[in-house]
Amino acid sequence: MSIDESTGTDPGVATAASTAAGDLTVQTATATGTAAAAVTRYPIAPGYRVNVRSGPGTQYRIVRTLPVGATVPIYCQRPGERVSGPYGTTSLWDNIADGEYVSDAYVKTGSDGYVAPRCS
């Protein structure tokens, strides 16, 4: 079953997230608490507000919603619920912060596979 993780494009709806400017590489600690490493930011599909979940599936609670134009770091990736989005159908979920996941179907990574280490 395919599930749409986006919440629409109504710019009038307030969100708890703020957008980082541009696609940047930043120095930061990984979500698993390991040593600092360079992390690339990836854009969310244009025109989409995407739910951030507490785990790799839509059955997990929504932690926050990313605004239109957001970019996200990917610290690690793991398999989870299969989701369809603008970049295809996948069961890959991206860890963007400690305890925060988005479906890779909404993130432009340029790949259908892993672009970061598997989450432990």
Side-chain angles (χ1 to χ4, degrees):
M1 177 168 96
S2 297
I3 297 176
D4 182 355
E5 252 311 85
S6 96
T7 59
T9 58
D10 182 357
V13 177
T15 64
S18 62
T19 303
D23 293 330
L24 305 173
T25 300
V26 295
Q27 294 292 322
T28 186
T30 64
T32 58
T34 59
V39 175
T40 302
R41 296 186 71 91
Y42 297 92
I44 296 298
Y48 286 90
R49 295 175 61 235
V50 176
N51 291 329
V52 178
R53 302 280 181 167
S54 62
T58 59
Q59 73 275 19
Y60 290 90
R61 72 179 174 82
I62 296 172
V63 175
R64 61 187 170 117
T65 302
L66 297 173
V68 171
T71 62
V72 294
I74 299 176
Y75 297 107
C76 63
Q77 295 173 293
R78 72 172 0 130
E81 180 182 351
R82 194 165 179 79
V83 171
S84 291
Y87 298 120
T89 300
T90 183
S91 60
L92 195 58
W93 286 73
D94 304 330
N95 177 256
I96 63 168
D98 190 26
E100 296 186 1
Y101 294 85
V102 295
S103 171
D104 197 61
Y106 288 88
V107 182
K108 185 177 183 178
T109 63
S111 173
D112 288 338
Y114 287 84
V115 297
R118 290 180 188 244
C119 300
S120 55

